[in-house]
């Protein structure tokens, strides 16, 4: 069966990097990207490096984005960064509601949906992250938890949904080396796809994230509802990241 949605492989650098390290990584990505196959390739960096991404990646096939955005457009919000500012630096993407933001900064699903809406209004593509903890999974609560996380996002409506990306990242698989099996991931992707289809947005791309490596990417991408990957640790190593894209 051919895969109709264009694959997307996105790096999430998290709070890693320096000018020098980024320059080396980006140079290698730009040089090798054409060999990485048909997948769309993108990287999401810390805010201070967005200008560096813009300077290095503009004109290349690799797009870039940020890892968070304010729900506000401007004002007295010290430390916050607006979607318009991200657009000023040529961002295509912004992660919304990564599990580390939800867990460490108390972001609620309503706030995550508001971030997605603000991003869309500025012409960015939000990558809305959802995922269950190990306790949720052991308690057979996966669909309930993902459903709750999705609810305010689905309420944004069909038109908005058609312009965003969802990333399913089981919290227990992030940075742990413990990937969901392709079947486990597919089951949740199918559930998310069904929820989107009910809103008339069945063609939204759904990425899998959580310890994706070159060695497990192909079996994940073989699943009908997995449209690519959100890659943390492995996105910091150019060859590994490109091998994931090539898979
Ligand atoms: P990981 O992180 O690939 O290092 O598990 C994925 C993510 O948190 O986006």
């Amino acid at each position: 069966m051919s895969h109709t949605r264009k694959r997307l492989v996105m790096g999430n650098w998290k709070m890693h990097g320096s000018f020098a390290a980024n320059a080396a990584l980006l140079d290698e990505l730009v040089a090798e990207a054409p060999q990485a196959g048909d997948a769309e390739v993108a990287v999401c960096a810390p805010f201070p490096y967005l200008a560096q991404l813009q300077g290095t990646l503009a004109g290349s096939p690799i797009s870039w984005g940020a890892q968070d955005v304010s729900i506000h457009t401007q004002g007295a919000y010290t430390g916050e960064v607006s979607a318009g500012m991200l657009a000023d630096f040529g961002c295509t993407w912004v992660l919304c509601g990564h599990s580390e933001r939800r867990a460490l900064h108390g972001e609620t699903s309503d706030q995550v949906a508001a971030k997605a809406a603000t991003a869309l209004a500025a012409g960015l593509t939000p990558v809305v992250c959802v995922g269950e903890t190990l306790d949720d999974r052991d308690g057979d609560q996966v669909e309930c938890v993902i459903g709750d996380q999705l609810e305010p996002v689905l309420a944004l409506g069909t038109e908005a949904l058609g312009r965003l990306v969802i990333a399913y990242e089981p919290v227990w698989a992030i940075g742990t080396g413990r990937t969901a099996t392709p079947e486990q991931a597919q089951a949740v992707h199918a559930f998310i796809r069904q929820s989107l289809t009910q809103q008339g947005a069945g063609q939204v791309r759904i990425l899998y994230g959580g310890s994706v490596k070159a060695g497990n990417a192909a079996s994940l991408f073989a699943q009908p509802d997995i449209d690519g990957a959100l890659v943390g640790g492995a996105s910091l190593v150019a060859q590994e990241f490109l091998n994931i894209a090539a898979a």
Side-chain angles (χ1 to χ4, degrees):
M1 188 177 60
S2 72
H3 204 92
T4 51
R5 295 173 297 274
K6 189 165 173 65
R7 308 257 186 207
L8 172 60
V9 173
M10 182 174 290
N12 171 15
W13 289 0
K14 309 195 180 188
M15 200 172 74
H16 294 287
S18 65
F19 263 123
N22 302 346
L25 175 55
L26 292 169
D27 284 350
E28 205 174 335
L29 291 181
V30 170
E32 309 272 337
Q35 278 93 59
D38 298 335
E40 208 174 333
V41 178
V43 291
C44 292
F47 295 132
Y49 297 123
L50 294 177
Q52 186 182 21
L53 296 195
Q54 187 174 32
T56 311
L57 298 178
S60 85
I62 304 172
S63 54
W64 61 95
Q67 300 169 7
D68 187 28
V69 64
S70 175
I71 58 174
H72 306 289
T73 52
Q74 64 168 333
Y77 304 105
T78 303
E80 298 265 290
V81 174
S82 74
M85 294 171 187
L86 301 182
D88 270 348
F89 286 92
C91 289
T92 300
W93 316 97
V94 60
L95 305 183
C96 296
H98 187 280
S99 64
E100 287 150 18
R101 303 281 329 160
R102 293 178 190 262
L104 303 173
H105 301 272
E107 283 187 18
T108 67
S109 297
D110 284 338
Q111 287 169 332
V112 172
K115 288 181 179 208
T118 314
L120 286 169
L124 304 175
T125 301
V127 180
V128 176
C129 305
V130 298
E132 83 286 358
T133 64
L134 196 54
D135 275 355
D136 298 332
R137 180 161 282 270
D138 290 344
D140 217 10
Q141 296 297 307
V142 177
E143 293 192 359
C144 177
V145 168
I146 305 284
D148 284 350
Q149 291 174 342
L150 281 178
E151 190 177 285
V153 180
L154 297 176
L156 295 175
T158 307
E159 192 275 335
L161 290 171
R163 292 192 290 132
L164 54 72
V165 170
I166 304 284
Y168 167 58
E169 300 201 300
V171 176
W172 48 271
I174 294 179
T176 57
R178 194 181 150 185
T179 330
T181 65
E183 292 74 23
Q184 282 174 321
Q186 166 57 27
V188 180
H189 280 238
F191 169 73
I192 296 171
R193 174 93 51 218
Q194 185 188 27
S195 308
L196 290 162
T197 301
Q198 283 165 1
Q199 303 296 322
Q203 285 307 308
V204 169
R205 287 186 288 185
I206 309 173
L207 311 182
Y208 170 79
S211 298
V212 176
K213 307 269 181 289
N216 57 28
S219 58
L220 288 161
F221 296 165
Q223 301 299 317
D225 289 303
I226 299 183
D227 304 319
L230 182 57
V231 185
S235 73
L236 299 170
V237 182
Q239 211 49 60
E240 182 78 10
F241 184 54
L242 291 167
N243 285 343
I244 293 169

